[in-house]
Amino acid sequence: MKARIHAPTLSNLQRLAAVLRRGGLVAIPTETVYGLAAHALDAKACRAIFQAKGRPANDPLIVHVLDLAHAEELAEFNDAARQVARRFWPGPLTIVLPKKSCVPGIVTSGGDTVALRAPAHPLARQLLRLAGVPLAAPSANPFSYISPTTAAHVQQGLGRRIRHILDGGSCTVGVESTVLDLANPSKPRILRPGAITAAQLAKVLKRKVPTKTRSAKSTARLLSPGLLDRHYSPRTSLRLTGRPAAGKLTALIFLRQPAGRQPANVYWLSQRGALDEIARNLYRVLREADTGGYREIQLEKLPATAGGLAAALNDRMKRAAAKL
Ligand code: AMP
Ligand code: MG
């Protein structure tokens, strides 16, 4: 059986909210990527997320809430966490904090911290409101494959393992949220770069916010599996390069649209190189190249200039290209 893709009508949203309340799974759009959602306080429902994704149990889930007030029911907030939540929620920022006892261990992989985010996507918010429960939702893809940014991507990856997909069109950010560890507020650190940058966080927190770069060991409980060396990866061998150049059976992905007519193996991530456009298109184009029957994909590296989405994009591109 294949999953149903539901148009975002009010009656469909009400039906899907009921599915979630009674422990079912629904793939939902968010502004970052599509998430595979379940009732976060229902351990059995959350276990089904791990099963559907083939996700190892040591890879904790992000819990989605409407706002700070709902988040405070699930975690012990400190002033620093309240400040960044007030500034960046709803939005692509996940905050890691000590969990309260109502959060089941399956969600946090047995750990004593929980990752929380208030999404900005209007459909995610409406579903949270209608369901009236927090929603655990990792990306709606088979573990370690490219994240989905359309309902069709979810269908391709999980269509035979889940029943419901809510269609919200294409994700507007296109890369996963920034994960900020504030369990110790005097030592904030970024576990995964995203659209909310270290500079933006440092400004609000009035201290440096380093990014943890060392990759996690897959045997230990993962601090942030987004930090696994290989993640977000196509099945086709992928090489990051300064200058994609034709080879037989090679897909070439450029940062900006090359001038003139291009052969079918040439792809691009933006018209003029704008980072937000590159982020929106990265996963879609990687998927297209991955299913094009090529022996190799060459992906053009970002230039060395930093700022904005550059850290998140460099991170995803490197991990997508990493070898097992
Ligand atoms: P995904 O939603 O599939 O993009 O993955 C969720 C991300 O949130 C992963 O990188 C997790 O490691 C991270 N995460 C979730 N819970 C925690 C936690 N308690 N501590 C650290 N990172 C977490
Ligand atoms: Mg993921």
Side-chain angles (χ1 to χ4, degrees):
M1 210 167 73
K2 273 194 111 183
R4 264 190 71 182
I5 297 183
H6 302 269
T9 61
L10 180 58
S11 62
N12 281 345
L13 286 164
Q14 284 166 335
R15 238 178 295 154
L16 293 174
V19 168
L20 286 164
R21 261 202 312 274
R22 50 168 199 266
L25 300 184
V26 180
I28 65 168
T30 82
E31 72 276 29
T32 57
V33 301
Y34 274 69
L36 182 57
H39 187 329
L41 304 181
D42 179 338
K44 207 172 143 204
C46 292
R47 213 165 293 128
I49 292 179
F50 286 89
Q51 256 169 7
K53 280 181 60 80
R55 181 175 176 115
N58 61 358
D59 188 347
L61 306 177
I62 294 175
V63 177
H64 294 70
V65 293
L66 262 181
D67 52 32
L68 180 56
H70 287 91
E72 298 221 25
E73 293 171 14
L74 307 176
E76 302 291 349
F77 271 67
N78 46 58
D79 287 340
R82 286 192 192 96
Q83 277 166 2
V84 289
R86 286 198 189 103
R87 172 69 182 78
F88 298 109
W89 281 1
L93 176 70
T94 296
I95 309 174
V96 173
L97 290 166
K99 83 176 191 82
K100 289 191 171 169
S101 60
C102 59
V103 179
I106 178 97
V107 170
T108 64
S109 300
D112 48 18
T113 58
V114 63
L116 297 169
R117 173 166 111 82
H121 196 292
L123 292 176
R125 300 188 64 71
Q126 207 176 346
L127 208 52
L128 278 165
R129 230 174 268 123
L130 290 168
V133 297
L135 297 175
S139 53
N141 54 327
F143 181 67
S144 91
Y145 192 63
I146 306 164
S147 296
T149 53
T150 67
H153 293 166
V154 180
Q155 178 76 278
Q156 285 152 21
L158 296 180
R160 293 181 185 285
R161 305 195 205 166
I162 62 174
R163 290 175 56 191
H164 304 288
I165 303 170
L166 174 60
D167 193 353
S170 294
C171 299
T172 52
V173 176
V175 294
E176 299 79 357
S177 59
T178 304
V179 179
L180 172 67
D181 181 1
L182 274 175
N184 176 355
S186 63
K187 284 208 170 133
R189 52 186 189 150
I190 291 174
L191 303 180
R192 176 174 75 184
I196 306 297
T197 64
Q200 283 176 294
L201 293 167
K203 204 168 155 195
V204 174
L205 293 172
K206 299 190 177 65
R207 55 172 86 229
K208 277 210 177 117
V209 185
T211 299
K212 183 182 178 290
T213 47
R214 198 163 42 85
S215 67
K217 287 275 173 289
S218 51
T219 45
R221 177 185 164 255
L222 298 176
L223 203 49
S224 190
L227 296 177
L228 271 178
D229 280 342
R230 184 179 163 81
H231 210 91
Y232 320 111
S233 306
R235 300 195 218 299
T236 314
S237 161
L238 172 68
R239 195 150 64 83
L240 265 180
T241 164
R243 205 158 165 269
K248 265 201 200 120
L249 289 170
T250 299
L252 306 178
I253 306 179
F254 292 91
L255 294 172
R256 48 163 81 198
Q257 182 173 12
R261 239 185 104 80
Q262 298 296 329
N265 67 325
V266 172
Y267 300 79
W268 52 89
L269 299 174
S270 71
Q271 286 189 308
R272 296 205 174 77
L275 294 183
D276 58 343
E277 193 185 351
I278 292 173
R280 255 195 317 275
N281 291 325
L282 176 66
Y283 291 150
R284 174 183 57 79
V285 173
L286 277 176
R287 280 169 178 268
E288 284 170 14
D290 195 27
T291 49
Y294 300 103
R295 195 166 294 159
E296 184 191 57
I297 302 170
Q298 291 182 23
L299 171 61
E300 184 180 1
K301 271 188 215 160
L302 288 185
T305 52
L309 277 157
L313 284 170
N314 275 320
D315 173 75
R316 303 309 190 275
M317 287 178 174
K318 262 191 224 144
R319 289 180 208 291
K323 303 285 172 248
L324 263 180

